[in-house]
Amino acid sequence: MKLRTVVNELACGALWPARPELLDANVLLTPEYGSTTPGDMLFVRLCRLEDWADGRVSAGERELLLVHAGPKIPADASPAGNVVLISHPSCYEDLRAQFLDLPSRIAVLELLRERMFNAFLGSYDVAQFARRSSEVLGNPVIVLNSDQRVLATAGEFPVDALDVQEVLAQGYISEMVNADMEADGIIEGVRRSHHSILAFSARYARSWVTSMVHFHHLEMGRFDVMEKDRPISGIDLELIDYASQLAGILIDRLGLAGERVGFGSSVLHDLVTGGFVNEETMRAQLGVTHLPRDGSYAMLTFSGQRDADRDYLARVGSMVGRAVRSCLWCIEDGVLCALVPVGRSEAVGYDDYARCVRRLSANSALASMLENNDLRAFVSEPFDEVDRAGARLEQCRLLMRVPDPRARGRVCYFWENRFGVLAAVAGTRERVDMMLDKRVVAMDAYDREHGTAYLETAIMSVRHPGSPAEAAAALSVHRNTYFYRMNKVKELFFVDLKDGEDRLALSFTAQVLEASRR
């Protein structure tokens, strides 16, 4: 048992420890003061203020002195060493009776700690641990990650607690509830004290225990308990701290901590998986991120090391977050993905492609990160409705299947590889064949057999419409040669490049043919 739990169980008033860390000391309670102490534990002795002040009682080796100062601690007192001054409304004899009753409560705490540990050992996810820990604690539990996403709930919450029901329905702590806790100083108090705090909310007329979940000194979320089914004691507070430590192990193991501690954005995860219950909730949670809520976005995926594990992807995600400002990232089904804002439209027409290229290809930090780590980025088409993030992630996944996509440096854009994606999606040779104009296929086959360049000539005619000189220059041939080939295209293959439909058929088929050969 920690000394903090002792003073909580005794319902002490003010505290004045010689050193703040004494409250977190592991202690033993016994009337046999001469016994030896095991490990790093200290024996606690209780005494009167006058006995300590006169030097009749002092803290011996491996002892901690709890000094009863009456209803108020004197302002001129000066505790030193292993001494904690406490105030208490009861007289010393009554307080001592309570103190001597504490060993039986320690036995209860140890039993509950064992039950909590067994609940952890038998849980394969956070939801199961929340349910089992709620049974041990005897009160409802909510487990959150660092992005304020609800990872699990357990127990029966009051139906008339509308703020809690809203959180349970939306799956996130609302901005209003979080603002209330920040304003009351609860969150800051828990962070500063490094232990759970029982606080009464006058606004909602109920008590909550808030405990921060940590793992390897990283804040990974919260473990909150509502005082509903039974009163919360000092023993419960220590037990809740223990439960939050175990929850931290599970959250780390499952990679659910959230973007704020380098585990990816829970908000983005819910966007791409359709996890938000409605658009209002989705917009509200975007508001607590650093992502702009207007303009267009692009989804990105990244490839690098083969068979990369989650730790590798998380490290890359952290690098992406540093290189691309105001982006969200997460790991979804073994793929690192990022949501990147590309700004607002600057033109009457569709300038999203150009803005996306400027945002990414001109980013020297991103270019260096990709080059130095042998990575490639795959970029979806831009979109302005964030609920389409899942569909755009699928575009990136399809782009990653193109054998050799066209790229600007190490960045591959969906719209520049559309036909390659179509060929990859088509899958079987028969499905690809259905997309091809057979006149163009015949032209391609003839060129391969006879060493001619009719298809290349036809393509340049489409790329340089109305400009035979530019088309001939692109082919590095004389204009007369160009015109000769164009006549042969119509004569041999029945493709009239003055006809718009034939030009479209040639362009489409030529690009699919090229993509299917990569």
Side-chain angles (χ1 to χ4, degrees), residues 2 15-16 53 74 84 94 108 145 202 252 288 311 319-320 326 383 419 435 466 470 482 498 515:
K2 293 185 181 297
L15 302 173
W16 190 348
V84 178
D94 289 344
V108 173
N145 74 355
D252 175 76
V288 302
D311 288 342
M319 290 189 290
V320 171
S326 301
F383 57 103
F419 296 102
M435 296 189 290
E470 291 182 4
Y482 170 76
K498 293 181 181 179

Side-chain angles (χ1 to χ4, degrees), residues 467-516:
S467 182
E470 291 182 4
L475 292 165
S476 300
V477 299
H478 193 274
R479 285 184 51 168
N480 291 341
T481 303
Y482 170 76
F483 285 123
Y484 171 80
R485 292 181 183 176
M486 289 295 292
N487 289 332
K488 283 294 186 180
V489 166
K490 184 176 182 180
E491 175 187 335
L492 297 175
F493 306 106
F494 311 102
V495 176
D496 183 2
L497 293 177
K498 293 181 181 179
D499 181 275
E501 292 291 335
D502 281 7
R503 293 174 71 86
L504 180 61
L506 181 134
S507 179
F508 179 84
T509 301
Q511 293 199 57
V512 173
L513 278 172
E514 179 186 356
S516 63

Side-chain angles (χ1 to χ4, degrees), residues 32 95 282 403 462 483:
E32 301 298 331
L95 179 61
M282 176 180 65
V462 173
F483 285 123

Side-chain angles (χ1 to χ4, degrees), residues 35-66:
S35 302
T36 58
T37 57
D40 61 346
M41 303 187 77
L42 300 174
F43 278 127
V44 179
R45 296 180 62 186
L46 183 68
C47 72
R48 295 181 177 86
L49 177 64
E50 53 269 27
D51 291 336
W52 168 73
D54 293 342
R56 291 191 295 270
V57 178
S58 61
E61 185 179 0
R62 308 303 303 162
E63 289 185 346
L64 192 152
L65 206 58
L66 205 58

Side-chain angles (χ1 to χ4, degrees), residues 197-351:
I197 290 179
L198 174 64
F200 179 78
S201 170
R203 178 191 291 269
Y204 302 111
R206 70 178 75 95
S207 295
W208 280 90
V209 174
T210 296
S211 176
M212 290 300 174
V213 175
H214 288 87
F215 187 76
H216 288 317
H217 307 291
L218 293 176
E219 183 181 308
M220 309 187 78
R222 296 210 321 256
F223 190 97
D224 290 0
V225 181
M226 176 187 279
E227 187 179 62
K228 171 181 172 285
D229 298 324
R230 69 176 186 82
I232 292 177
S233 67
I235 285 178
D236 289 313
L237 292 178
E238 182 166 334
L239 193 61
I240 290 169
D241 283 334
Y242 183 56
S244 70
Q245 294 171 21
L246 299 174
I249 297 172
L250 272 177
I251 292 172
D252 175 76
R253 182 185 303 166
L254 298 171
L256 301 174
E259 184 182 28
R260 298 181 187 184
V261 287
F263 284 82
S265 168
S266 300
V267 176
L268 180 56
H269 168 80
D270 285 347
L271 279 176
V272 299
T273 59
F276 285 108
V277 294
N278 53 50
E279 184 174 349
E280 180 182 357
T281 303
M282 176 180 65
R283 294 287 178 181
Q285 289 310 311
L286 281 177
V288 302
T289 71
H290 47 265
L291 197 73
R293 284 193 271 184
D294 58 352
S296 300
Y297 310 89
M299 283 297 302
L300 279 70
T301 57
F302 299 84
S303 70
Q305 178 180 306
R306 280 191 172 188
D307 302 321
D309 60 16
R310 191 175 186 88
D311 288 342
Y312 170 82
L313 295 176
R315 288 195 296 271
V316 175
S318 297
M319 290 189 290
V320 171
R322 291 192 295 269
V324 184
R325 292 179 302 159
S326 301
C327 79
L328 302 178
W329 66 269
C330 71
I331 301 168
E332 188 59 37
D333 290 336
V335 174
L336 173 65
C337 58
L339 179 65
V340 177
V342 296
R344 302 177 64 178
S345 177
E346 301 170 355
V348 175
Y350 189 83
D351 67 337

